Amino acid sequence: MNIHIVPHNKLSKINNEKDYWHDWPLVLISSPRYDMSELTKGHNEHLYLKFEDITDLDAPTGPKEQDIIDIMEFTKDKERVIFSCQAGISRSSAAALIALCQKMPITEAVEKLDLAWHHPNQLMVYHASKILKDISIYEIYLDVFRF
């Protein structure tokens, strides 16, 4: 799978460029406080999710298991996907990592991220490891991205 992880401001710029990017399915994640739906325009296929970049299991606005299931369902048959969140660091890289983990081992999936920039949302990865019934995803995540 080819992935492209970008912050919202860069997504807005590439959406105004060539039609090339519009052929890429889009996973757009934003805060529930904002309507970023205009960023989906031009993308034939998109998934727009709203949750905060937090890792507290009990937080009402954090990522839920259903959000992760939606990401997995949307990306499972895709060859290429753009992932975008506010900063292009946490939620979008977690969504990309989750999508990749459906197609390859976590050790290979991590290699597709920019480890100097991306820091996947821990709660999203935790949910994915539970859904995929593979605790090694979360354990390897902790080893690679431990602060």
Side-chain angles (χ1 to χ4, degrees):
M1 171 186 279
N2 290 319
I3 61 168
H4 193 59
I5 303 170
V6 295
H8 289 164
N9 65 344
K10 186 169 182 187
L11 178 63
S12 180
K13 289 177 186 172
I14 65 174
N15 280 348
N16 292 324
E17 292 177 0
K18 304 175 187 172
D19 288 336
Y20 171 78
W21 293 110
H22 295 218
D23 290 337
W24 286 57
L26 169 66
V27 174
L28 177 66
I29 305 169
S30 75
S31 166
R33 296 173 286 153
Y34 305 110
D35 180 8
M36 304 302 288
S37 58
E38 75 276 358
L39 293 176
T40 65
K41 289 183 179 145
H43 292 273
N44 296 331
E45 295 181 85
H46 66 271
L47 173 65
Y48 180 27
L49 300 169
K50 290 183 165 195
F51 54 83
E52 300 289 355
D53 184 18
I54 53 181
T55 58
D56 181 355
L57 264 172
D58 298 322
T61 59
K64 305 293 183 230
E65 284 188 21
Q66 187 59 52
D67 296 315
I68 307 314
I69 291 167
D70 291 345
I71 291 166
M72 293 167 70
E73 285 293 316
F74 181 77
T75 61
K76 71 179 175 185
D77 297 324
K78 306 287 190 278
E79 295 294 320
R80 58 189 184 177
V81 180
I82 297 173
F83 297 89
S84 182
C85 67
Q86 181 67 37
I89 296 172
S90 182
R91 290 170 290 178
S92 55
S93 66
L97 184 65
I98 290 162
L100 291 166
C101 283
Q102 294 182 103
K103 299 176 184 281
M104 63 188 66
I106 178 85
T107 51
E108 291 177 36
V110 165
E111 292 175 5
K112 296 198 175 256
L113 300 180
D114 178 348
L115 298 183
W117 181 253
H118 298 128
H119 189 82
N121 178 285
Q122 184 174 351
L123 183 53
M124 291 174 69
V125 176
Y126 174 75
H127 285 322
S129 69
K130 282 179 49 183
I131 294 163
L132 292 169
K133 295 178 174 54
D134 185 353
I135 194 63
S136 71
I137 292 171
Y138 188 63
E139 291 170 345
I140 291 170
Y141 162 86
L142 290 175
D143 285 343
V144 172
F145 295 102
R146 192 170 309 236
F147 288 69

